[in-house]
Amino acid sequence: MAGQIRRRNRARILAAAEQVFAELGLEGATTQAIADLAGMPKSNILYYFGTKEQIYVALLQEVVRFWHESFSGFGPEDDPALALETYVIEKVRMSFSRPAASRLFAREMLSGGHRLRNYLEGELRQWVDERSQVIREWIAQGRMAPVDPHQLLFTIWAATQTYADFAPQVAAVRGGPPDPAAQEALARSLVDFILRACIPPAQPATPPS
C-alpha cells in the first residue's frame, strides 16, 4: 500500500512539474509552483525529490523511459515489422499527447544535456545496446534489411519527436495542427516509410515443379 501511494504521489508531482517547466523553464520554475499545481505541500515535494533540479532530471528520465517502453519487450523471436510499427506509432502519439515533455527534453539536449549525462551514458546507452543487438539478430535471420541500428533509432527519434519539437512548423506547412485522425494518418505514413526501408519484401512462393 505504501509503495502504491509513493508511486502515485511521484507521478502527481512529475505531471505538475511537466506543466510548470514547460511554461517557465528550469530557471523560472519553483518548487512552490510545482507544489501548488500538484495540490500538495511543498514539504511533500522536497520529501520525494529534494530539489527542483532533481524533479527536472527525474521527469526527463521518465519521459525517455516512456518513449522506449513499447520497443523494450520485443526480442529476436518476435516480428520486427510489428515491433517497429508499435514503437513508431506510440512515439508519434506521445509527441501529440505530451508535446511539452518532448520539448523539455529537446531543450536540455540543445543546452548540452549536462544534467542527464549519467543517465544518457548509462541507462540509455545500455537500452540502445540491447535493442541494437535484437536488430542485428533480425538482420542475421534475414528478417530485416542490413541497416545500422543506431542510425535507425536516431531516425525514428527525429521523425517522431518533430511533431512536438517543431509543432509550429508542422502546423504552418499543413495549414493548421493535425486533428486526431490526421495524427493517426501521419503515424501510419511514417510506419510505412520505416518498414519499406527496413523489412525485405516478401518473396513470391516458388510454384511446385
Side-chain angles (χ1 to χ4, degrees), residues 116-173:
L116 286 178
R117 182 70 61 193
N118 290 339
Y119 174 77
L120 296 173
E121 295 179 353
E123 184 176 327
L124 180 61
R125 180 183 290 175
Q126 179 180 348
W127 183 90
V128 169
D129 288 346
E130 292 171 353
R131 296 298 87 198
S132 295
Q133 183 56 38
V134 171
I135 292 170
R136 291 187 187 98
E137 293 190 41
W138 282 332
I139 293 170
Q141 295 167 7
R143 301 165 71 197
M144 269 189 74
V147 299
D148 179 274
H150 287 175
Q151 186 61 36
L152 173 60
L153 291 173
F154 293 154
T155 299
I156 292 174
W157 297 348
T160 55
Q161 287 158 228
T162 194
Y163 296 115
D165 301 345
F166 296 93
Q169 175 178 272
V170 172
V173 170

